[in-house]
């Protein structure tokens, strides 16, 4: 028998040929234990049954009511005892049409999954129902009127709602968020921890994060939204605030939109970063790590991690933020060693599982690249050339057969790994799209940065 999975309320006879499609395969009502009625989602072919937060007998539930067309048949019927600890398939057959519903039972749940205050991610203690947000004392954030965003359990609602503004300034009267899902109610207390010294930093020339360009701001907000204790610091903050990096283990510097074809142009174009070099050198000597992206990779030369002659020789600024827009099969990132820590845990395209994706359909990329390229040199000869130029202090991460677009540098003590430097010059490592898209594989950008953080800090 030919089975057709039907996602419609009625079936289209005009395209059915000799098949019997006269019936309907719609579930009108579904009830368990006389009182738990399912929410039926026909387009998505789902039946969700909600039970109280403390309901603990899902292993034996009884189908007490089920309405399907009189001519239809089902593999689940009134009076059946179901173990709903696991989801089930519920089939309804009418004529030659079969609809497969995904049947599942969920307890009411009011759980906070993520909380971000003015771009800073909070640390959630589920047992204590608290959220601790580490705010740099010199950040300039107005805690009397700060905006927050949150995500919570699928069916829960929050009060106040995500996107609201509140007063987080009084530790004696802390701000609270209440989540509700029928019988589940949870109240979380927001604790503000004013920190003097961050543990991870996004550094830039702008006086604050909001003054960054779109590409750099997107990268900075990911860092501060995903690594507790992180903050944005300007180069002026780093140069002038004594001890500001004393507890820092990780600095992310992403410079976008300016071409630096050699070290001299970088030195002239980034005077504030150069002014902070004494502090940065001390930080690096004691084991601090860096991720340097695009034009920021030249900071590695300033630190002495690469020779003065070791700057990338193939630099182009792409098309601003209005470059190529991805189609159904976005560009993929060519990597030299898929076993490297940076590429672990990424989302994989099942149609091309060997490739690494960082872009999605409709994503518009600037395609800015900062890389090494030598015509006529590839394979082992390419790596030998790269080794000569970088003084033997680097290994390849991404690139095509005659170019190297991302690389890893040794730490101050001459070892790869903790306290080292990751340089990301590949154009496909991009944070901001001016066009709307549905994020799937672009989430890999964040995972790559978090992988770099864990790899370089050992945490």
């Amino acid at each position: 028998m030919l089975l057709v999975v039907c996602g419609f309320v009625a079936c289209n006879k005009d395209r059915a040929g000799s098949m019997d499609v006269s019936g309907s395969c719609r579930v009108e009502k579904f009830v368990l234990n006389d009182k738990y009625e399912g929410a039926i989602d026909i387009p998505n072919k789902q039946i969700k049954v909600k039970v109280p937060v403390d309901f603990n007998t899902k292993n034996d539930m009884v189908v007490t009511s089920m309405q399907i067309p009189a001519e239809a048949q089902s593999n689940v019927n009134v009076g059946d005892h179901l173990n709903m600890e696991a989801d089930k398939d519920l089939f309804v057959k009418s004529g030659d049409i079969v609809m497969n519903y995904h049947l599942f039972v969920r307890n009411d749940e009011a759980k906070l999954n993520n909380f971000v205050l003015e771009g800073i991610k909070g640390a959630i203690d589920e047992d204590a129902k608290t959220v601790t947000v580490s705010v740099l004392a010199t950040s300039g954030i107005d805690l009397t009127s700060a905006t927050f965003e949150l995500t919570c359990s699928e069916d829960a609602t929050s009060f106040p709602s995500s996107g609201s503004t509140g007063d987080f300034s009084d530790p004696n009267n802390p701000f609270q968020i209440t989540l509700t899902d029928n019988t589940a109610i949870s109240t979380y207390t927001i604790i503000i921890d004013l920190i003097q010294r961050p543990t991870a930093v996004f550094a830039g020339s702008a006086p604050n994060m909001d003054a960054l360009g779109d590409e750099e701001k997107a990268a900075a907000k990911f860092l501060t939204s995903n690594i507790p204790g992180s903050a944005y610091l300007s180069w002026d903050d780093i140069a002038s605030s004594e001890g500001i990096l004393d507890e820092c283990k990780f600095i992310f510097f992403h410079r976008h939109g300016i071409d630096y074809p050699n070290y001299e142009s970088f030195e002239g174009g980034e005077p504030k970063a150069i002014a902070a070099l004494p502090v940065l050198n001390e930080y690096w000597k004691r084991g601090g790590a860096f991720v340097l992206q695009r034009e920021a990779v030249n900071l590695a030369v300033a630190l002495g991690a690469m020779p003065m002659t070791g700057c990338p020789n193939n630099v182009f600024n792409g098309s601003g933020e209005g470059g190529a827009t991805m189609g159904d099969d976005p560009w993929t990132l060519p990597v030299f060693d898929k076993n490297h820590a940076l590429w672990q845990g990424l989302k994989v395209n099942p149609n091309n599982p060997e490739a690494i994706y960082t872009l999605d359909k409709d994503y518009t990329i600037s395609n800015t690249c900062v890389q090494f390229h030598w015509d006529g040199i590839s394979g082992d000869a390419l790596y030998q050339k790269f080794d000569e130029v970088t003084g033997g202090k680097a290994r390849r991460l991404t690139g095509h057969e005659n170019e190297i677009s991302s690389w890893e540098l040794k730490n101050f003590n001459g070892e790869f790994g903790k306290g080292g430097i990751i340089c990301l010059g590949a154009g496909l490592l991009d944070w901001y799209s001016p066009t709307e898209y549905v994020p799937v594989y672009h989430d890999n950008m964040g995972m790559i940065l978090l992988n770099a953080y864990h790899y370089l800090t050992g945490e």
Side-chain angles (χ1 to χ4, degrees), residues 122-297:
I124 300 171
D125 184 331
E126 183 60 33
D127 292 334
K129 293 293 187 290
T130 61
V131 183
T132 301
V133 184
S134 299
V135 179
L136 191 66
T138 58
S139 67
I141 293 174
D142 181 5
L143 291 174
T144 65
S145 182
T147 302
F148 66 88
E149 296 178 350
L150 63 82
T151 59
C152 57
S153 304
E154 180 181 5
D155 296 318
T157 58
S158 70
F159 180 81
S161 60
S162 181
S164 298
T165 298
D167 184 352
F168 297 82
S169 63
D170 187 357
N172 296 316
N173 185 26
F175 193 86
Q176 292 185 319
I177 303 285
T178 298
L179 306 179
T180 304
D181 176 21
N182 297 320
T183 63
I185 301 175
S186 299
T187 298
Y188 293 81
T189 300
I190 314 303
I191 300 170
I192 303 299
D193 178 22
L194 288 176
I195 58 174
Q196 303 299 322
R197 297 178 177 86
T199 56
V201 163
F202 186 98
S205 296
N208 55 64
M209 188 161 57
D210 284 337
L212 294 169
D214 290 330
E215 168 72 18
E216 295 169 13
K217 187 191 299 183
K221 285 192 172 182
F222 180 87
L223 179 81
T224 59
S225 296
N226 288 277
I227 299 179
S230 61
Y232 174 83
L233 289 179
S234 70
W235 294 124
D236 289 341
D237 293 330
I238 292 173
S240 61
S241 303
E242 185 176 354
I244 193 68
L245 297 182
D246 282 357
E247 298 179 19
C248 184
K249 301 176 182 179
F250 183 86
I251 292 178
F252 182 19
F253 176 28
H254 178 23
R255 193 69 175 95
H256 171 74
I258 300 177
D259 285 345
Y260 293 134
N262 51 52
Y263 179 72
E264 289 74 20
S265 60
F266 172 81
E267 188 176 34
E270 301 291 336
K272 293 185 176 183
I274 298 302
L277 265 179
V279 178
L280 296 176
N281 274 311
E282 288 301 315
Y283 161 82
W284 191 45
K285 287 178 182 178
R286 68 171 182 267
F290 291 89
V291 167
L292 306 176
Q293 189 165 0
R294 294 192 179 159
E295 288 84 352
V297 301

